[in-house]
Amino acid sequence: LDAEDLRLSVDSGSSSSNVDLSGIPNDISPKDKLVYIYTSGTTGMPKAAVITNLRYTFMALGCYYMLSFRDDDIIYNSLPLYHSAGGMIGVGSVLLCGVTAALRKKFSASNFWTDCIRYKCTVAQYIGEICRFVLMTPAKPTDTQHTVRLMFGNGLRPQIWPQFVSRFNIKQIGEFYGSTEGNSNLLNIDNTMGAVGFVPNFAKAIYPVTLIRCDEETGEIIRDTNGFCIKCKPGEPGVFVGKINPKKALNSFVGYADKAASEKKVLHDVFRKGDIYFNSGDILVQDLLGNYYFKDRTGDTFRWRGENVATSEVEGVITTIVGLKDCAVYGVDIPETEGKAGMAAIVDPEGKVDMDQLAAGIRASLPAYARPLFIRVLSEVPMTTTFKLKKRDLQVDGYDLNKIKDPIYFLQSNGTYRQFTAEDHETIKSGKARL
C-alpha cells in the first residue's frame, strides 16, 4: 500500500477510492502498546520501556507544536532510531506531521554541517554529547553556511551552550528533559540558556510536576512529621516528580515491561494519602520564573568533607579545561573515611592532557571539596549508543590498580596531581592515608 495513496484516500474520505483499506485494523486503542524502547543503560542494564500509541503521539506532537516546526522543515537526524529521541520525536514528526527528515546511518561530527548544507536542513537533532563532539571539530566555512535555525534535543551542557550557538549561528535551542519511560517531560521553548524546560506556577494544575526535597547523596526522599513530601523553594535542588493519573493521558504512567522495575519509580502518599507520583531520579532546580535546570542524577551526587558534590557540574568544568574531551565524575569509597572521594575519568587516547594545566584549572574553578582526588586517563571510550560514558562500570573499577591498566593521578596537598602508585593504593586500602 503506497503511503501517499493512503494519505489521499483518508483525507478525501471518499468511498469510491481505489485504495483498499479493509486490511487496516479498526479496533486500535490509544493505550495499546506500540513498541518497546530500551533505556540507554548508563547506570545499569537497559530496561524495556513500554511506549503506547498515545505516548508516541504525545512525544512527537509535543516538540512539533511547542517548538513551532514548519511544514516545509527538513530535520537532520543522525541519531539511532531505536532510541526515543531519534525514533519517536525525530521520525514521529515525519509520520504524524508530514515534515521531511534527512537520516544519517551513523553520527559524524566532521560531516554534521556538510550534511545539513547538502540536504538543506532547517532543524537538527542532538542527544548526549553530540554538540560537544561537533564543537571539537576544527573551524570551517561550513560552520555558518547552513540554514539550520533550530536544534533540539537533550544533553547540551550549560558550560558550552554560549560557545556552540555563537560559533554555529544557531538562533534557537530547544533543550528538553525527560525519560523514555516517564510521564514528566519538560521543554525549553523560549531559548533560556541552560534551562531544560519551563512550567509556570499557574500551569501546574494542568501539568502537575514539581520538585521535592531529598538526600542528594542517596536519593532518599525527605518527608515531614506527617509523612508527606516537602516541596522545594525556588533555587533549592530537589527530585523532579510528576503526578500519576491513569485517567488522564497526559499524566498516565505505563513504565517498563518489568512491573517490579516500574513500581520502583512510583512514590506513594506524596502530598496526601493515596496520591502517586513518578520519581524521575533526577535532581533539578527551578527559578522564580518557572525555568528548570538539571543538576545531577540521584546517586551520582556524593558527599565529601561535609559537602554535596554534583558530578555534572564538576564534569562540565573539567571538560572545558581539557578541550572538550569526554569526562565522567563519580564518587569512590575510601576506607576509614566518611563520605566518598571524587574520581574523574578522562578519555585521552592520544595522551595530550597536560596534568599541570588541568590541576591549575581545577584549583581556579572548583572549591577544595569538589576537586577529584583521583584522575583516570582512559585510552578507550566505554560509551553507550546514545553517546554517554558508562559511569557505573568506571565506578566499579574505582582506583584499584589490580583492575586498571590506565594511568591514575592522585591529588596532592598543594593542588597538583602525581601518578598514583601501588604503594599509594596499599596505604589507602589500609586506612592509613591522610587525605
Side-chain angles (χ1 to χ4, degrees):
L1 181 63
D2 182 84
E4 183 64 12
D5 288 343
L6 174 60
R7 186 185 68 80
L8 292 172
S9 177
V10 172
D11 286 350
S12 67
S14 172
S15 60
S16 61
S17 169
N18 293 326
V19 179
D20 181 12
L21 303 179
S22 61
I24 299 177
N26 58 11
D27 60 346
I28 298 174
S29 164
K31 294 185 178 181
D32 285 347
K33 296 174 184 175
L34 173 65
V35 67
Y36 293 111
I37 293 183
Y38 281 79
T39 59
S40 59
T42 311
T43 56
M45 290 296 292
K47 294 184 284 291
V50 178
I51 305 300
T52 62
N53 293 318
L54 196 60
R55 179 154 178 78
Y56 188 99
T57 303
F58 172 73
M59 294 290 287
L61 296 185
C63 282
Y64 177 85
Y65 285 108
M66 295 183 74
L67 292 176
S68 301
F69 285 10
R70 302 167 186 167
D71 291 341
D72 60 351
D73 272 331
I74 300 175
I75 303 174
Y76 182 62
N77 185 349
S78 60
L79 313 181
L81 299 187
Y82 53 79
H83 185 263
S84 54
M88 286 174 61
I89 301 173
V91 174
S93 300
V94 177
L95 298 178
L96 301 180
C97 305
V99 300
T100 301
L103 302 179
R104 184 180 178 90
K105 188 173 182 179
K106 186 178 181 180
F107 165 72
S108 168
S110 60
N111 288 300
F112 193 90
W113 298 118
T114 304
D115 284 345
C116 288
I117 293 168
R118 179 181 297 125
Y119 299 110
K120 301 178 182 178
C121 297
T122 53
V123 178
Q125 280 189 268
Y126 64 88
I127 54 172
E129 300 290 338
I130 278 181
C131 292
R132 182 170 58 81
F133 295 153
V134 174
L135 194 58
M136 287 173 67
T137 60
K140 294 186 293 187
T142 52
D143 288 354
T144 55
Q145 289 174 349
H146 58 82
T147 55
V148 174
R149 74 173 193 284
L150 163 69
M151 287 188 66
F152 71 99
N154 64 300
L156 176 55
R157 291 182 184 270
Q159 291 85 355
I160 67 168
W161 191 316
Q163 185 181 354
F164 185 86
V165 296
S166 174
R167 174 178 163 182
F168 300 117
N169 193 29
I170 304 299
K171 293 182 172 59
Q172 182 180 0
I173 294 290
E175 174 80 7
F176 62 79
Y177 163 84
S179 59
T180 303
E181 75 282 3
N183 74 337
S184 310
N185 302 283
L186 299 170
L187 181 61
N188 180 343
I189 58 174
D190 63 354
N191 219 18
T192 300
M193 195 165 290
V196 300
F198 169 71
V199 181
N201 287 328
F202 66 81
K204 290 187 177 179
I206 304 170
Y207 196 59
V209 297
T210 191
L211 301 178
I212 57 175
R213 291 183 184 176
C214 72
D215 183 312
E216 291 185 49
E217 183 181 4
T218 64
E220 184 178 352
I221 304 302
I222 298 173
R223 295 179 179 260
D224 62 19
T225 54
N226 297 315
F228 296 123
C229 299
I230 306 167
K231 288 186 179 181
C232 294
K233 299 175 181 178
E236 182 182 10
V239 172
F240 182 69
V241 297
K243 189 173 185 179
I244 298 173
N245 185 345
K247 296 180 180 179
K248 290 186 177 182
L250 193 63
N251 311 124
S252 63
F253 173 64
V254 182
Y256 307 108
D258 182 344
K259 296 301 180 185
S262 299
E263 184 57 33
K264 291 179 181 178
K265 302 293 289 186
V266 177
L267 294 172
H268 296 268
D269 303 330
V270 176
F271 298 117
R272 58 177 59 88
K273 283 289 184 181
D275 65 3
I276 51 176
Y277 277 71
F278 169 74
N279 180 357
S280 71
D282 291 328
I283 298 175
L284 278 65
V285 178
Q286 186 182 25
D287 65 17
L288 286 168
L289 299 176
N291 295 300
Y292 284 87
Y293 302 85
F294 182 83
K295 183 174 175 63
D296 215 354
R297 292 275 308 166
T298 56
D300 280 1
T301 293
F302 58 89
R303 196 165 182 82
W304 182 244
R305 303 201 183 287
E307 300 283 351
N308 289 326
V309 180
T311 59
S312 61
E313 295 177 1
V314 180
E315 287 167 354
V317 168
I318 293 178
T319 295
T320 302
I321 296 170
V322 297
L324 305 179
K325 295 181 184 294
D326 288 304
C327 173
V329 174
Y330 42 95
V332 291
D333 291 315
I334 303 291
E336 308 298 329
T337 303
E338 185 180 353
K340 291 187 176 183
M343 184 165 185
I346 300 171
V347 179
D348 183 35
E350 299 172 352
K352 292 184 177 180
V353 170
D354 184 324
M355 293 306 298
D356 290 335
Q357 181 182 351
L358 174 58
I362 288 175
R363 290 196 303 273
S365 305
L366 293 172
Y369 66 84
R371 297 169 191 168
L373 190 63
F374 305 96
I375 292 180
R376 175 180 175 181
V377 181
L378 296 166
S379 56
E380 296 179 343
V381 188
M383 193 167 285
T384 70
T385 55
T386 52
F387 309 104
K388 300 174 185 175
L389 280 171
K390 293 183 178 179
K391 187 179 290 189
R392 177 60 182 163
D393 294 351
L394 297 169
Q395 195 167 23
V396 169
D397 289 344
Y399 49 89
D400 188 347
L401 292 179
N402 297 317
K403 296 180 180 179
I404 300 170
K405 303 304 179 186
D406 303 312
I408 297 177
Y409 295 87
F410 190 38
L411 181 63
Q412 303 303 290
S413 58
N414 62 1
T416 62
Y417 287 89
R418 66 163 173 81
Q419 189 116 13
F420 186 61
T421 66
E423 184 179 350
D424 293 328
H425 189 206
E426 288 302 318
T427 303
I428 289 177
K429 282 174 61 179
S430 67
K432 298 177 181 178
R434 298 183 62 186
L435 305 176

